[in-house]
Amino acid sequence: MTKLILTTLIWASAFVVHSAKADFATDLHTVQSQWATVNYELVDDSQLEAFEKLVNTTAEFTKANNDQAASHIWYGIVLSSYAGAKGGLGALGLAKDAKAQFEQAMKIDAKALDGSAYTSLATLYSKVPGWPIGFGDDDEADKLFKQALTLNPNGIDSNYLYAAFLFDERKYSAAKKHLLIAQQAPARADRPKADLYRQQEITALLSKVDKKIKK
């Protein structure tokens, strides 16, 4: 009888853990899908309003999953995207909050989501103004991008975002190399909309790179 009860408790515990993981995966996918819509398909005030709502939703998601690196990564992505859409000095606070989320994700699991925290933090360092206004640092960005590519050498985001950085640094041949890798990245079955728009960005940047190389 005792053995039967113990077996039942073990099975029940396993079911709860499995359900929790399933719920987390579902909630994470919802955040990712909503981000793709807001980031790529909305503009102006409607985009800002949607980002503000998504920030609040993702904050609650992260609070409920504080031990998950992926939740911190995506909270940071939402915050940094909102900062980019908002622009100006008013966005700096959002960028600092995003930085803290990426750093927290690295403390929990630096390899989570194929090293996305490195890619996202690198992008922040490359876009935010430098001292004394902000924490921007191109050398740190380059270092972080290379760490991201060590973890995800064929990823669409890691290669595209590094290529965008290299383009800004006027390293056009190197940028093209990473754009071509990004263009051939495996499709992500759970993120078709993000892949669709990212491929459009890759094509557009490749055109700019080729024009620079031909000059």
Side-chain angles (χ1 to χ4, degrees):
M1 184 67 177
T2 302
K3 184 177 180 181
L4 177 60
I5 293 172
L6 181 60
T7 302
T8 303
L9 286 172
I10 291 172
W11 179 86
S13 297
F15 176 77
V16 170
V17 171
H18 175 75
S19 297
K21 288 182 178 178
D23 289 344
F24 175 77
T26 299
D27 291 345
L28 177 62
H29 183 258
T30 298
V31 169
Q32 292 171 328
S33 298
Q34 290 178 347
W35 172 85
T37 298
V38 176
N39 191 63
Y40 289 115
E41 297 181 352
L42 299 181
V43 295
D44 302 330
D45 289 344
S46 61
Q47 184 184 56
L48 293 176
E49 290 171 7
F51 262 134
E52 187 173 357
K53 291 178 182 177
L54 188 55
V55 164
N56 293 332
T57 299
T58 312
E60 291 300 315
F61 167 66
T62 304
K63 184 178 179 180
N65 298 279
N66 192 51
D67 60 337
Q68 296 282 349
S71 66
H72 290 280
I73 289 170
W74 269 94
Y75 189 20
I77 289 173
V78 171
L79 285 166
S80 59
S81 299
Y82 184 26
K86 196 171 186 179
L89 293 178
L92 188 57
L94 291 168
K96 288 180 178 178
D97 290 343
K99 177 175 179 285
Q101 291 300 319
F102 296 138
E103 290 170 343
Q104 180 61 23
M106 289 176 183
K107 289 178 183 177
I108 296 170
D109 181 4
K111 296 180 180 180
L113 302 180
D114 296 321
S116 292
Y118 286 108
T119 303
S120 300
L121 185 56
T123 302
L124 265 186
Y125 271 109
S126 71
K127 298 296 184 183
V128 171
W131 188 89
I133 298 173
F135 57 85
D137 186 326
D138 287 344
D139 290 336
E140 185 64 19
D142 189 65
K143 174 184 171 184
L144 288 165
F145 274 126
K146 288 174 179 174
Q147 287 176 290
L149 286 165
T150 298
L151 293 169
N152 192 15
N154 298 310
I156 188 170
D157 291 332
S158 54
N159 279 284
Y160 167 75
L161 291 168
Y162 189 38
F165 169 76
L166 291 169
F167 180 83
D168 290 341
E169 294 289 294
R170 300 181 182 180
K171 297 178 181 179
Y172 304 122
S173 295
K176 183 170 183 176
K177 170 189 169 184
H178 287 283
L179 285 170
L180 293 175
I181 295 172
Q183 199 171 50
Q184 298 301 316
R188 297 172 292 189
D190 59 335
R191 300 189 62 203
K193 185 179 288 189
D195 281 352
L196 172 66
Y197 287 112
R198 186 66 88 199
Q199 286 292 350
Q200 291 177 3
E201 290 177 321
I202 291 166
T203 299
L205 187 54
L206 263 173
S207 179
K208 291 181 181 179
V209 166
D210 284 338
K211 289 177 182 179
K212 292 292 185 180
I213 290 174
K214 289 176 182 178
K215 282 185 177 181

